[in-house]
Structures are given as structure tokens and as C-alpha cells.
């Protein structure tokens, strides 16, 4: 942690309400607004991880679609979801800044497996803390792969704060 | 969280260096020293969980010991360990208070299975945050039962901060 830079807090956001709750908790309880040169404001790094676009062909009601069209449609939807999630998170940060003083916000959207991407980003962005909800990414995927948060608690090279909805 | 009371931060400490590191990280990065009536100091609740005293008989080099004597000896050792761990943690808090302003410290020593006791204490003490290292309690027990921190991340009714040693 560079004291002249404030802390870098990586918040992994997804479509779920729990990640919104985690971001809100972090803003209220952890992120400091800064106080001149001695205590510069913390930086919130909002990270949304889009799943890797599918490469298989897709069957719709009328028969086979061209795989390219289908994957492009899915990819477009995934981008729209990413924009919506990030937009919501940014608005929450802006609202908090208005009420409590400014925090710096930086947005990152990455593509891949959330578990490894989040842990890689901790290193790449030099995060001092990783904040996330306790699940997300669906029941089935969680059952198959274990939860994203479990993986990050074990593998991220920084302290991890898990915030659950009550 | 009662704003007139400051936040209540439960820090689970054990014999390992990792829990000392977790406590230090929490004191440096999270615990606020308070700033008059508007922002009262946070309370650090230091929790050490002693294992349940054994009730089986023990064989030493000279033959069987009386089970009572052996368990009393083990229990005595366990109490001494608890005192040492808590003492070390309290000293760390006192040192931090001296350098950065006062935080309130409260010590709890409980007996039982660390996983369930820690989660119970979160409810009982009304903790706003649980802080702990990522493991502790030995490789074998962790392999058999899963790690204490995994359990607490899933079951504690408050946000959980896991701090690992690098």
C-alpha cells in the first residue's frame, strides 16, 4: 500500500443484489473519503467479469441458427448486462460521494472465468482489499465449481472481505 | 450497528502468526479511533476459543496416568496458551492505541469447537464485522472438518474479513 495514493479496494460486482449490498457496505464502512495530502482518498476499483462468449452452435424454436449470429447475440446481451451492472455500481458510488465526500472510482470489465480473473486482477491492479458478496454466478455453476468467493478467499493475494445479504 | 456505540469488530485470534497479522491489518486499516461524540471509537472484541477439554485416558512413558490428572494437565496447558495468545493480542492493541489513538478492547475466551463458537459469538456480541486469518487449528483438523474460516464465511451473520499472511 502506498500511503500517498490511498488504498485500492477492488469490489467484484455481478448481477446479484448481494454484490450491490457488498459495495454499499464497503462504501459506508471502509472506504475513506480522504482528508488532504496526509490521507488521500481510497480508490474503488469496480470489477465486472463477463463470461467467455460461447463458441458452440445454438438451436432456437425455428431450427438451427448460424452459430456466429447466436454467439454475437449472446455476446451483445452479455455486454448490455455488464453495462447495466457497472452503471448501477457507479451510481451507488456517486451517491455515496455526494453524501460523504469523494472516493475515486475506476471501472474494469474483464472477460473469462470470474474466479481466476478476480484473483489475477488483485495482483494486476495492486489491490489492498478485495470485497465481494458470498455467492453469485448461479446455483448450478456454484455446485460444480465451488463458489467464486471460496476460491478468492483461498487464492487472492490480499485480504478478502465477504459481505452477505441478511 | 448503533452509531452512538461505534462498530463492534470481532477478531478471532489463535496461536498462529496469521491471526496476529489479521489483527494488525484490522487495527491499521479498519478500526477507527473515534473522534468525539459524532464518531465514537470502535470496539475490538478479541475472541480466543479453547478446544473442549479431552475426557479420554492418556498413556505416558511410565504407563497409564489417571485420566483426571492428565486432562487437568492438558486443560491447564490450554488455559496457559489462551492467556498467552490473548495477552499478545492485547499488547498489539495497546501499542496501536498508543500510536494512533484509542480503540476499545474487550476480551472473550470461550471453550468449544472454534467454528460454531465463533459464529455464535458474532450473534451474541452483536458484531458488525468478523476478522480472522485464513487458517489455523492445524492441517489434520482442517483436512477433516474444512477450515474454520470457510465455515465462518458461510455461516456468520455478519461480513467476514479474511486476512492471510503473505
Amino acid at each position: 500500500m502506498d500511503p500517498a495514493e490511498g488504498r485500492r479496494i477492488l469490489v467484484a460486482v455481478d448481477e446479484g443484489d448481494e454484490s450491490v449490498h457488498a459495495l454499499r457496505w464497503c462504501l459506508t464502512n471502509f472506504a475513506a473519503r480522504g482528508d488532504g495530502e496526509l490521507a488521500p482518498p481510497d480508490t474503488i476499483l469496480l470489477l465486472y467479469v463477463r463470461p467467455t462468449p460461447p463458441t458452440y452452435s445454438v438451436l432456437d424454436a425455428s431450427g438451427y441458427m448460424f452459430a456466429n449470429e447466436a454467439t454475437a447475440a449472446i455476446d451483445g446481451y452479455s455486454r448490455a448486462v455488464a453495462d447495466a451492472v457497472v452503471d448501477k455500481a457507479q451510481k451507488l458510488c456517486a451517491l455515496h460521494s455526494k453524501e460523504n465526500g469523494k472516493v475515486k472510482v475506476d471501472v474494469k470489465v474483464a472477460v473469462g472465468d470470474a474466479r481466476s480473473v478476480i484473483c489475477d486482477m488483485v495482483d494486476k491492479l495492486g489491490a489492498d482489499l478485495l470485497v465481494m458478496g458470498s455467492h453469485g454466478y448461479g446455483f448450478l455453476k456454484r455446485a460444480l465449481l465451488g463458489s467464486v468467493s471460496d476460491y478468492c478467499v483461498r487464492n487472492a493475494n490480499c485480504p478478502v472481505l465477504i459481505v452477505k445479504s441478511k
Side-chain angles (χ1 to χ4, degrees), chain A:
Chain A
M1 189 172 88
D2 179 358
E5 280 280 312
R7 298 171 298 186
R8 296 171 69 76
I9 306 166
L10 184 64
V11 184
V13 291
D14 61 23
E15 300 81 355
D17 284 342
E18 203 158 43
S19 79
V20 176
H21 180 68
L23 174 59
R24 192 178 286 125
W25 198 94
C26 169
L27 286 168
T28 311
N29 283 283
F30 193 85
R33 64 194 164 117
D35 197 18
E37 271 182 39
L38 276 176
D42 290 339
T43 302
I44 301 280
L45 304 157
L46 293 174
L47 171 64
Y48 177 77
V49 184
R50 291 203 296 129
T52 313
T55 50
Y56 44 83
S57 64
V58 173
L59 186 69
D60 77 351
S62 65
Y64 285 100
M65 291 175 68
F66 286 107
N68 283 351
E69 280 175 30
T71 54
I74 293 170
D75 199 47
Y77 174 73
S78 159
R79 278 172 205 274
V81 170
D83 288 347
V85 169
V86 165
D87 189 52
K88 192 174 175 185
Q90 276 183 305
K91 276 185 184 148
L92 196 64
C93 292
L95 185 70
H96 176 85
S97 287
K98 209 171 162 187
E99 286 170 1
N100 301 283
K102 213 160 181 56
V103 288
K104 285 195 272 182
V105 179
D106 205 351
V107 172
K108 307 278 171 192
V109 176
V111 178
D113 177 59
R115 308 185 313 153
S116 51
V117 170
I118 292 171
C119 292
D120 286 350
M121 285 304 235
V122 163
D123 296 334
K124 206 171 156 186
L125 303 173
D128 298 303
L129 176 72
L130 168 62
V131 180
M132 58 197 307
S134 74
H135 47 76
Y137 304 98
F139 170 75
L140 186 65
K141 201 166 175 187
R142 197 163 71 246
L144 289 172
L145 297 175
S147 84
V148 179
S149 50
D150 282 359
Y151 182 89
C152 293
V153 164
R154 283 210 188 81
N155 294 286
N157 289 323
C158 74
V160 182
L161 174 64
I162 305 292
V163 185
K164 286 168 290 185
S165 300
K166 294 215 168 157

